[in-house]
Amino acid sequence: MRRLLALTAACLMAFAPLAQGAERIKDLASVAGVRSNPIVGYGLVVGLDGSGDQTTQTPFTVQSIANMLSNMGITMPPGVNLQLRNVAAVMVTANLPAFSRPGQEIDVTVSSLGNARSLKGGTLLMTPLKGADGSVYALAQGNLVIGGAGGGAAGSRVTVNHLSSGRIPKGAIVERAVPMPVGQGDTVMLELKEANFGTAEKIAQAINQSFGGSVAAPLDGSVIQVNAPVDPAQRVAFLGRLENLEVVPDQGLARVVVNSRTGSVVMNRAVTVQECAVAHGNLTLTVSADNQVSQPGALSGGKTVVSQNAQVALNQENGNLIRVRPGTNLSEVVKALNAVGATPVDMISILQAMKTAGALRAELEVI
């Protein structure tokens, strides 16, 4: 009965929600040295239904086919012009996760390198995937999964989604592991994903309160040094418990990110506005032309005359002066800007003007 109660309590603690505004250390920082590694390779996709590379425009595809056949003991006569439309040259990319071991399987992404119209239904031939050091870390092969469709006739074509790129789930087998020691000696370094002195101090305090003593010490705004057990088994358990500690991160910089191309405006919760007045109105200029043709009567000897009547209309909406009260959080800022009746595109100009006037208490970043 006691074991059942203990197990129930442990389950409830495991699924208990985080405290208000708290985040786990694993969401705020990562262990130094624990990272994934990108790998890439060049290969061939075969079995396409006439939608492969046009070999006259992609000579590297023909060369790759000749080299592959030569490695398999097939010698092509000189001067043979290969016109294959069911083969495409591709680049294969993947990320080698941390602590990957030989024999594990990882997903790969296959992208067309030439002018293939579609990779749908193709099969990737065995492709070595190399790291930045030139060593082979995985071998990829398998059938592609393309999340799209397309078809055409009589010069017209319809395409849904992207057909020149796809994925192969579990399409590569790891052949070599990347050495990844967790810390040196009896210390482990935690690296914050976003540098912040206040958050670094809070994480160190949470670790010291949980494990007792001076276990952790912040070295700067992004690195925290933690004393960890030397034994690997104890170190894994130590880091597992450490990563699940809850910390309320320090409030970051107030920032407004504006995308001038799409009109997107994103603000974090630290953005506030000071009291100000905003006037906003749209000016619309419309120019229309009406062509009229004057046709003379038969045998009159006159000429056809085309006259153009242009009409110009100027419409300006009322731009009332609206008072924006001081805001203390994101919801009030959004409510104040919506009260002006501004669209996302117009809001960009309003935010820039408010920043210039000193009413916007945030860093304005235009991307």
Side-chain angles (χ1 to χ4, degrees):
M1 186 63 180
R2 292 182 178 179
R3 289 185 178 181
L4 181 59
L5 292 175
L7 181 60
T8 303
C11 292
L12 292 176
M13 293 178 61
F15 291 99
L18 296 177
Q20 183 68 27
E23 298 184 34
R24 297 175 301 177
I25 291 181
K26 66 167 60 178
D27 299 324
L28 299 173
S30 60
V31 179
V34 178
R35 44 160 291 185
S36 60
N37 293 276
I39 51 180
V40 65
Y42 170 83
L44 292 174
V45 171
V46 299
L48 303 176
D49 188 14
S51 60
D53 292 339
Q54 297 180 6
T55 53
T56 56
Q57 300 178 7
T58 54
F60 51 85
T61 305
V62 178
Q63 182 180 357
S64 301
I65 296 172
N67 293 340
M68 179 191 66
L69 295 177
S70 177
N71 292 334
M72 293 184 175
I74 301 175
T75 303
M76 297 294 297
V80 174
N81 186 12
L82 295 177
Q83 296 291 336
L84 303 178
R85 296 299 305 274
N86 60 345
V87 182
V90 295
M91 295 300 297
V92 184
T93 57
N95 280 324
L96 191 65
F99 309 115
S100 295
R101 299 296 179 184
Q104 293 182 351
E105 297 177 339
I106 58 176
D107 298 343
V108 297
T109 301
V110 181
S111 305
S112 175
L113 185 62
N115 53 9
R117 298 195 311 270
S118 173
L119 299 180
K120 196 174 185 65
T123 300
L124 175 69
L125 300 182
M126 185 172 60
T127 303
L129 303 181
K130 299 180 180 180
D133 57 355
S135 301
V136 176
Y137 287 91
L139 293 176
Q141 182 171 282
N143 299 324
L144 273 72
V145 177
I146 306 292
S156 300
R157 185 171 181 83
V158 177
T159 302
V160 179
N161 294 337
H162 205 57
L163 300 178
S164 59
S165 179
R167 290 181 63 83
I168 306 178
K170 307 297 182 182
I173 300 177
V174 178
E175 298 292 334
R176 176 180 298 183
V178 178
M180 198 166 296
V182 182
Q184 300 292 333
D186 58 351
T187 61
V188 171
M189 298 295 180
L190 295 180
E191 298 178 348
L192 291 182
K193 298 178 181 179
E194 184 176 353
N196 189 301
F197 288 100
T199 303
E201 178 63 25
K202 289 182 178 181
I203 290 178
Q205 292 178 358
I207 295 174
N208 291 333
Q209 291 177 0
S210 177
F211 294 95
S214 300
V215 178
L219 301 182
D220 51 37
S222 61
V223 179
I224 304 167
Q225 179 176 313
V226 181
N227 297 325
V230 179
D231 181 61
Q234 296 181 3
R235 174 164 294 192
V236 170
F238 173 82
L239 292 177
R241 178 183 170 188
L242 181 148
E243 286 185 334
N244 286 287
L245 295 178
E246 298 177 9
V247 175
V248 179
D250 190 53
Q251 193 175 43
L253 292 175
R255 180 173 300 174
V256 179
V257 180
V258 174
N259 191 324
S260 58
R261 294 180 296 275
T262 62
S264 302
V265 179
V266 180
M267 297 175 281
N268 62 14
R269 60 183 180 181
V271 176
T272 59
V273 292
Q274 299 299 314
E275 186 173 4
C276 62
V278 178
H280 177 73
N282 292 326
L283 182 67
T284 304
L285 180 65
T286 304
V287 179
S288 60
D290 183 17
N291 296 329
Q292 295 182 354
V293 180
S294 177
Q295 183 71 29
L299 303 178
S300 64
K303 295 183 180 180
T304 302
V305 178
V306 179
S307 60
Q308 186 180 55
N309 297 325
Q311 296 179 355
V312 180
L314 182 64
N315 181 25
Q316 184 174 9
E317 297 181 3
N318 294 330
N320 297 327
L321 190 65
I322 298 178
R323 178 185 178 187
V324 179
R325 298 182 180 276
T328 57
N329 52 44
L330 179 60
S331 62
E332 293 188 9
V333 174
V334 174
K335 186 184 300 183
L337 293 177
N338 287 336
V340 184
T343 64
V345 177
D346 298 329
M347 198 176 294
I348 296 176
S349 301
I350 295 176
L351 291 173
Q352 290 177 339
M354 292 176 65
K355 179 65 176 178
T356 304
L360 180 64
R361 297 301 186 184
E363 178 183 351
L364 185 61
E365 180 179 350
V366 181
I367 60 176

